[in-house]
Amino acid sequence: VDAIIHDIVEMQRRADEERTQGRRIAVVPTMGALHEGHGALIRTACMWADVVVTTVFVNPTQFGPGEDFARYPRDLQRDAAFAEAAGCNILFAPAAESMYPAGFCTHVDVERLGAVLEGKSRPGHFRGVLTVVTKLLLITRPHVAVFGQKDAQQVVLVRQMLRDLNFGVDLVVVPIVREADGLALSSRNAYLSAGERLEATVLYRALQQAESAIRGGERVSAAVIGAMRRLIEETSSGVIDYISIADARSLRELSRIPTRSPVLVSLAVRFGETRLIDNLFLTL
Ligand code: PAF
């Protein structure tokens, strides 16, 4: 990378300078522990902009009590080397004290959309995400922001926020990157024991089963969800948090699967201490 910037004002000045020179900026917001999923985001960002900024910030406000904030993997030098290899120009890695100085009290939230699915299981999570994404966009001043489809609800909420608050930032969404056996890449996969890692492929197998049932004509969501539940419970030790079939835009649960309207099949499953999520977008 050309630069690792820690200071907020220095990052804003650099972004202004790039804009003044007529260069387009893309930002890839991350919490570090970069893997090939992030690699795909950075490489996509390179196609949309002249300058790619990757932000690395383990945002404390999006973790609930008892979640993995303290043990979330952190290795900035490794992340810098990885980001550079993927084509990133600037790594922005602010300190928590500068992002949230004493007295910080402004938050961004979305009604309803942030209270379902992940938001229901992780109260306050999306308020933390949207507030930090707002700050990161105001600091890096991008033309384009690149997010992964892996966090499907985050994408829906960020899209809504960008529109509602007139950010003037284009959203680019990159498909999920998977291991050869189907497990979606996630920094949290590092927590899995060898046995859990093998069992974790059940998330993708359940999504594939759902897709073939739906494409095969099944329209009743409860039937699809019931079959996914059985597969997970009968073939793994995973504990299901939720399985959902919802409208991909409104995130409202669907009792029947419609045609010509995008559907989001999503699930969260716990293996020991590790909570994994995965999803599938589908339009009939
Ligand atoms: O997707 C993530 O890694 C985080 O939620 C984000 C967008 C970087 C905000 O902290």
Side-chain angles (χ1 to χ4, degrees):
V1 292
D2 301 344
I4 298 181
I5 299 178
H6 299 285
D7 186 73
I8 291 173
V9 174
E10 185 185 341
M11 182 66 240
Q12 285 171 321
R13 284 208 193 105
R14 175 70 185 261
D16 284 346
E17 205 177 289
E18 299 291 354
R19 278 182 168 259
T20 308
Q21 301 290 323
R23 288 194 275 271
R24 282 175 62 80
I25 303 172
V27 69
V28 181
T30 81
M31 299 204 300
L34 302 183
H35 50 65
E36 278 310 319
H38 299 110
L41 302 183
I42 295 169
R43 284 189 294 276
T44 302
C46 293
M47 301 196 288
W48 288 86
D50 308 299
V51 180
V52 173
V53 182
T54 302
T55 71
V56 173
F57 180 60
V58 184
N59 173 38
T61 67
Q62 71 189 72
F63 290 81
E67 289 187 3
D68 55 343
F69 175 68
R71 67 171 177 146
Y72 202 85
R74 294 163 170 87
D75 185 345
L76 192 62
Q77 289 316 313
R78 190 198 152 277
D79 285 341
F82 184 97
E84 170 153 34
C88 169
N89 306 105
I90 299 171
L91 200 81
F92 174 59
E97 309 78 65
S98 62
M99 289 292 272
Y100 300 111
F104 183 93
C105 59
T106 305
H107 295 93
V108 182
D109 213 342
V110 289
E111 290 162 8
R112 207 196 65 80
L113 279 177
V116 298
L117 301 172
E118 286 298 288
K120 192 165 168 191
S121 297
R122 308 180 66 191
H125 171 66
F126 286 117
R127 178 171 121 137
V129 168
L130 295 178
T131 302
V132 82
V133 168
T134 297
K135 287 172 68 71
L136 293 169
L137 296 179
L138 290 169
I139 294 166
T140 61
R141 312 220 207 279
H143 299 81
V144 178
V146 182
F147 285 84
Q149 179 55 36
K150 166 83 188 334
D151 293 299
Q153 190 177 6
Q154 173 169 281
V155 167
V156 172
L157 269 70
V158 168
R159 177 180 288 126
Q160 184 74 40
M161 176 183 86
L162 294 177
R163 188 192 303 145
D164 286 349
L165 299 183
N166 307 101
F167 270 82
V169 174
D170 290 330
L171 177 63
V172 172
V173 182
V174 178
I176 297 176
V177 179
R178 298 182 181 280
E179 302 279 7
D181 63 7
L183 180 67
L185 295 194
S186 163
S187 305
R188 292 190 166 101
N189 293 349
Y191 302 150
L192 298 169
S193 69
E196 290 167 346
R197 168 66 188 82
L198 286 173
E199 290 192 27
T201 58
V202 78
L203 277 83
Y204 185 55
R205 284 186 281 123
L207 290 170
Q208 283 183 307
Q209 174 186 282
E211 177 162 21
S212 52
I214 294 168
R215 294 206 187 279
E218 181 61 76
R219 292 290 173 271
V220 180
S221 299
V224 178
I225 291 172
M228 292 172 77
R229 185 172 287 281
R230 279 193 297 282
L231 177 74
I232 295 166
E233 288 176 347
E234 286 168 13
T235 67
S236 82
S237 62
V239 177
I240 298 167
D241 182 352
Y242 65 80
I243 302 177
S244 156
I245 300 186
D247 178 274
R249 297 200 187 93
S250 70
L251 301 181
R252 285 190 204 284
E253 294 297 316
L254 297 167
S255 54
R256 286 189 66 80
I257 294 146
T259 48
R260 288 185 290 280
S261 174
V263 169
L264 176 68
V265 184
S266 64
L267 74 171
V269 180
R270 236 175 254 287
F271 292 89
E273 296 285 287
T274 309
R275 186 172 175 282
L276 300 179
I277 58 173
D278 202 346
N279 69 82
L280 163 80
F281 250 119
L282 153 140
T283 308
L284 291 179

mmCIF file of all heavy atoms in Angstrom, residues 56-77:
data_model
loop_
_atom_site.group_PDB
_atom_site.id
_atom_site.type_symbol
_atom_site.label_atom_id
_atom_site.label_comp_id
_atom_site.label_asym_id
_atom_site.label_seq_id
_atom_site.Cartn_x
_atom_site.Cartn_y
_atom_site.Cartn_z
ATOM 1 N N VAL A 56 -9.619 -0.691 8.139
ATOM 2 C CA VAL A 56 -9.471 -1.807 9.083
ATOM 3 C C VAL A 56 -9.771 -1.255 10.466
ATOM 4 O O VAL A 56 -9.000 -0.452 11.004
ATOM 5 C CB VAL A 56 -8.040 -2.394 9.026
ATOM 6 C CG1 VAL A 56 -7.858 -3.433 10.138
ATOM 7 C CG2 VAL A 56 -7.764 -3.021 7.668
ATOM 8 N N PHE A 57 -10.915 -1.629 10.993
ATOM 9 C CA PHE A 57 -11.310 -1.111 12.314
ATOM 10 C C PHE A 57 -12.260 -2.113 12.951
ATOM 11 O O PHE A 57 -13.339 -2.374 12.415
ATOM 12 C CB PHE A 57 -11.989 0.258 12.163
ATOM 13 C CG PHE A 57 -12.422 0.860 13.473
ATOM 14 C CD1 PHE A 57 -11.489 1.125 14.475
ATOM 15 C CD2 PHE A 57 -13.754 1.147 13.708
ATOM 16 C CE1 PHE A 57 -11.891 1.663 15.693
ATOM 17 C CE2 PHE A 57 -14.161 1.696 14.919
ATOM 18 C CZ PHE A 57 -13.225 1.955 15.918
ATOM 19 N N VAL A 58 -11.837 -2.711 14.051
ATOM 20 C CA VAL A 58 -12.713 -3.638 14.776
ATOM 21 C C VAL A 58 -13.613 -2.754 15.634
ATOM 22 O O VAL A 58 -13.201 -2.230 16.667
ATOM 23 C CB VAL A 58 -11.896 -4.642 15.630
ATOM 24 C CG1 VAL A 58 -12.843 -5.652 16.282
ATOM 25 C CG2 VAL A 58 -10.872 -5.373 14.773
ATOM 26 N N ASN A 59 -14.821 -2.576 15.129
ATOM 27 C CA ASN A 59 -15.717 -1.558 15.681
ATOM 28 C C ASN A 59 -16.400 -2.053 16.958
ATOM 29 O O ASN A 59 -17.296 -2.907 16.880
ATOM 30 C CB ASN A 59 -16.765 -1.224 14.600
ATOM 31 C CG ASN A 59 -17.834 -0.298 15.126
ATOM 32 O OD1 ASN A 59 -17.533 0.611 15.901
ATOM 33 N ND2 ASN A 59 -19.069 -0.531 14.718
ATOM 34 N N PRO A 60 -16.032 -1.509 18.113
ATOM 35 C CA PRO A 60 -16.580 -2.058 19.364
ATOM 36 C C PRO A 60 -18.090 -1.942 19.468
ATOM 37 O O PRO A 60 -18.726 -2.814 20.066
ATOM 38 C CB PRO A 60 -15.890 -1.210 20.451
ATOM 39 C CG PRO A 60 -15.331 -0.016 19.760
ATOM 40 C CD PRO A 60 -15.098 -0.402 18.336
ATOM 41 N N THR A 61 -18.673 -0.925 18.850
ATOM 42 C CA THR A 61 -20.104 -0.674 19.097
ATOM 43 C C THR A 61 -21.038 -1.635 18.359
ATOM 44 O O THR A 61 -22.230 -1.626 18.612
ATOM 45 C CB THR A 61 -20.492 0.774 18.710
ATOM 46 O OG1 THR A 61 -20.377 0.897 17.288
ATOM 47 C CG2 THR A 61 -19.603 1.786 19.384
ATOM 48 N N GLN A 62 -20.498 -2.469 17.472
ATOM 49 C CA GLN A 62 -21.384 -3.428 16.801
ATOM 50 C C GLN A 62 -21.323 -4.818 17.424
ATOM 51 O O GLN A 62 -21.978 -5.744 16.943
ATOM 52 C CB GLN A 62 -21.111 -3.484 15.299
ATOM 53 C CG GLN A 62 -19.801 -4.135 14.888
ATOM 54 C CD GLN A 62 -19.534 -3.953 13.417
ATOM 55 O OE1 GLN A 62 -19.205 -2.857 12.950
ATOM 56 N NE2 GLN A 62 -19.671 -5.019 12.631
ATOM 57 N N PHE A 63 -20.531 -4.951 18.493
ATOM 58 C CA PHE A 63 -20.465 -6.218 19.224
ATOM 59 C C PHE A 63 -21.341 -6.104 20.464
ATOM 60 O O PHE A 63 -21.279 -5.094 21.182
ATOM 61 C CB PHE A 63 -19.031 -6.506 19.677
ATOM 62 C CG PHE A 63 -18.087 -6.858 18.561
ATOM 63 C CD1 PHE A 63 -17.506 -5.860 17.784
ATOM 64 C CD2 PHE A 63 -17.768 -8.190 18.286
ATOM 65 C CE1 PHE A 63 -16.630 -6.176 16.751
ATOM 66 C CE2 PHE A 63 -16.896 -8.510 17.265
ATOM 67 C CZ PHE A 63 -16.325 -7.504 16.493
ATOM 68 N N GLY A 64 -22.130 -7.137 20.721
ATOM 69 C CA GLY A 64 -22.945 -7.158 21.938
ATOM 70 C C GLY A 64 -22.116 -7.669 23.104
ATOM 71 O O GLY A 64 -21.031 -8.216 22.916
ATOM 72 N N PRO A 65 -22.666 -7.526 24.325
ATOM 73 C CA PRO A 65 -21.984 -8.087 25.495
ATOM 74 C C PRO A 65 -21.867 -9.604 25.322
ATOM 75 O O PRO A 65 -22.791 -10.245 24.834
ATOM 76 C CB PRO A 65 -22.920 -7.749 26.669
ATOM 77 C CG PRO A 65 -24.107 -7.056 26.103
ATOM 78 C CD PRO A 65 -23.968 -6.918 24.629
ATOM 79 N N GLY A 66 -20.712 -10.152 25.653
ATOM 80 C CA GLY A 66 -20.540 -11.609 25.504
ATOM 81 C C GLY A 66 -20.184 -12.037 24.089
ATOM 82 O O GLY A 66 -19.970 -13.222 23.849
ATOM 83 N N GLU A 67 -20.128 -11.102 23.131
ATOM 84 C CA GLU A 67 -19.689 -11.478 21.783
ATOM 85 C C GLU A 67 -18.155 -11.443 21.722
ATOM 86 O O GLU A 67 -17.492 -11.266 22.733
ATOM 87 C CB GLU A 67 -20.345 -10.562 20.740
ATOM 88 C CG GLU A 67 -21.844 -10.850 20.602
ATOM 89 C CD GLU A 67 -22.524 -10.097 19.457
ATOM 90 O OE1 GLU A 67 -21.840 -9.369 18.702
ATOM 91 O OE2 GLU A 67 -23.738 -10.216 19.332
ATOM 92 N N ASP A 68 -17.607 -11.631 20.504
ATOM 93 C CA ASP A 68 -16.180 -11.917 20.373
ATOM 94 C C ASP A 68 -15.291 -10.697 20.142
ATOM 95 O O ASP A 68 -14.210 -10.831 19.571
ATOM 96 C CB ASP A 68 -15.990 -12.926 19.231
ATOM 97 C CG ASP A 68 -16.623 -12.450 17.916
ATOM 98 O OD1 ASP A 68 -17.465 -11.536 17.958
ATOM 99 O OD2 ASP A 68 -16.277 -12.998 16.856
ATOM 100 N N PHE A 69 -15.699 -9.508 20.614
ATOM 101 C CA PHE A 69 -14.882 -8.307 20.372
ATOM 102 C C PHE A 69 -13.437 -8.496 20.836
ATOM 103 O O PHE A 69 -12.490 -8.223 20.098
ATOM 104 C CB PHE A 69 -15.497 -7.075 21.052
ATOM 105 C CG PHE A 69 -14.638 -5.849 20.947
ATOM 106 C CD1 PHE A 69 -14.441 -5.241 19.718
ATOM 107 C CD2 PHE A 69 -13.992 -5.326 22.059
ATOM 108 C CE1 PHE A 69 -13.622 -4.124 19.589
ATOM 109 C CE2 PHE A 69 -13.170 -4.207 21.942
ATOM 110 C CZ PHE A 69 -12.994 -3.613 20.703
ATOM 111 N N ALA A 70 -13.261 -8.988 22.073
ATOM 112 C CA ALA A 70 -11.914 -9.076 22.659
ATOM 113 C C ALA A 70 -11.039 -10.054 21.878
ATOM 114 O O ALA A 70 -9.852 -9.812 21.679
ATOM 115 C CB ALA A 70 -12.001 -9.473 24.122
ATOM 116 N N ARG A 71 -11.625 -11.163 21.423
ATOM 117 C CA ARG A 71 -10.783 -12.178 20.765
ATOM 118 C C ARG A 71 -10.787 -12.070 19.237
ATOM 119 O O ARG A 71 -10.196 -12.901 18.550
ATOM 120 C CB ARG A 71 -11.195 -13.585 21.214
ATOM 121 C CG ARG A 71 -12.571 -14.026 20.760
ATOM 122 C CD ARG A 71 -12.782 -15.515 21.067
ATOM 123 N NE ARG A 71 -14.125 -15.930 20.700
ATOM 124 C CZ ARG A 71 -14.451 -17.121 20.235
ATOM 125 N NH1 ARG A 71 -13.540 -18.033 20.065
ATOM 126 N NH2 ARG A 71 -15.696 -17.423 19.929
ATOM 127 N N TYR A 72 -11.494 -11.038 18.690
ATOM 128 C CA TYR A 72 -11.522 -10.891 17.226
ATOM 129 C C TYR A 72 -10.081 -10.757 16.718
ATOM 130 O O TYR A 72 -9.299 -9.978 17.263
ATOM 131 C CB TYR A 72 -12.352 -9.666 16.829
ATOM 132 C CG TYR A 72 -12.848 -9.759 15.404
ATOM 133 C CD1 TYR A 72 -14.019 -10.436 15.094
ATOM 134 C CD2 TYR A 72 -12.106 -9.202 14.371
ATOM 135 C CE1 TYR A 72 -14.449 -10.556 13.789
ATOM 136 C CE2 TYR A 72 -12.539 -9.319 13.050
ATOM 137 C CZ TYR A 72 -13.710 -9.995 12.771
ATOM 138 O OH TYR A 72 -14.132 -10.119 11.470
ATOM 139 N N PRO A 73 -9.693 -11.544 15.671
ATOM 140 C CA PRO A 73 -8.274 -11.531 15.264
ATOM 141 C C PRO A 73 -7.807 -10.169 14.740
ATOM 142 O O PRO A 73 -8.518 -9.518 13.981
ATOM 143 C CB PRO A 73 -8.219 -12.591 14.152
ATOM 144 C CG PRO A 73 -9.617 -12.985 13.834
ATOM 145 C CD PRO A 73 -10.520 -12.475 14.899
ATOM 146 N N ARG A 74 -6.630 -9.733 15.191
ATOM 147 C CA ARG A 74 -6.077 -8.437 14.779
ATOM 148 C C ARG A 74 -4.616 -8.609 14.378
ATOM 149 O O ARG A 74 -3.818 -9.079 15.187
ATOM 150 C CB ARG A 74 -6.153 -7.432 15.945
ATOM 151 C CG ARG A 74 -7.576 -7.040 16.363
ATOM 152 C CD ARG A 74 -7.529 -6.408 17.751
ATOM 153 N NE ARG A 74 -8.784 -5.783 18.168
ATOM 154 C CZ ARG A 74 -9.788 -6.421 18.776
ATOM 155 N NH1 ARG A 74 -9.705 -7.728 19.009
ATOM 156 N NH2 ARG A 74 -10.863 -5.767 19.148
ATOM 157 N N ASP A 75 -4.258 -8.229 13.142
ATOM 158 C CA ASP A 75 -2.862 -8.281 12.691
ATOM 159 C C ASP A 75 -2.705 -7.301 11.525
ATOM 160 O O ASP A 75 -2.850 -7.658 10.355
ATOM 161 C CB ASP A 75 -2.497 -9.718 12.269
ATOM 162 C CG ASP A 75 -1.030 -9.859 11.908
ATOM 163 O OD1 ASP A 75 -0.344 -8.827 11.711
ATOM 164 O OD2 ASP A 75 -0.565 -11.012 11.815
ATOM 165 N N LEU A 76 -2.406 -6.039 11.885
ATOM 166 C CA LEU A 76 -2.424 -4.971 10.878
ATOM 167 C C LEU A 76 -1.353 -5.159 9.798
ATOM 168 O O LEU A 76 -1.618 -4.890 8.623
ATOM 169 C CB LEU A 76 -2.271 -3.593 11.562
ATOM 170 C CG LEU A 76 -2.565 -2.422 10.641
ATOM 171 C CD1 LEU A 76 -4.008 -2.433 10.145
ATOM 172 C CD2 LEU A 76 -2.254 -1.094 11.333
ATOM 173 N N GLN A 77 -0.169 -5.640 10.188
ATOM 174 C CA GLN A 77 0.902 -5.781 9.184
ATOM 175 C C GLN A 77 0.511 -6.829 8.136
ATOM 176 O O GLN A 77 0.693 -6.628 6.942
ATOM 177 C CB GLN A 77 2.247 -6.151 9.843
ATOM 178 C CG GLN A 77 2.855 -4.999 10.631
ATOM 179 C CD GLN A 77 2.789 -3.643 9.889
ATOM 180 O OE1 GLN A 77 3.124 -3.552 8.697
ATOM 181 N NE2 GLN A 77 2.347 -2.598 10.581
#
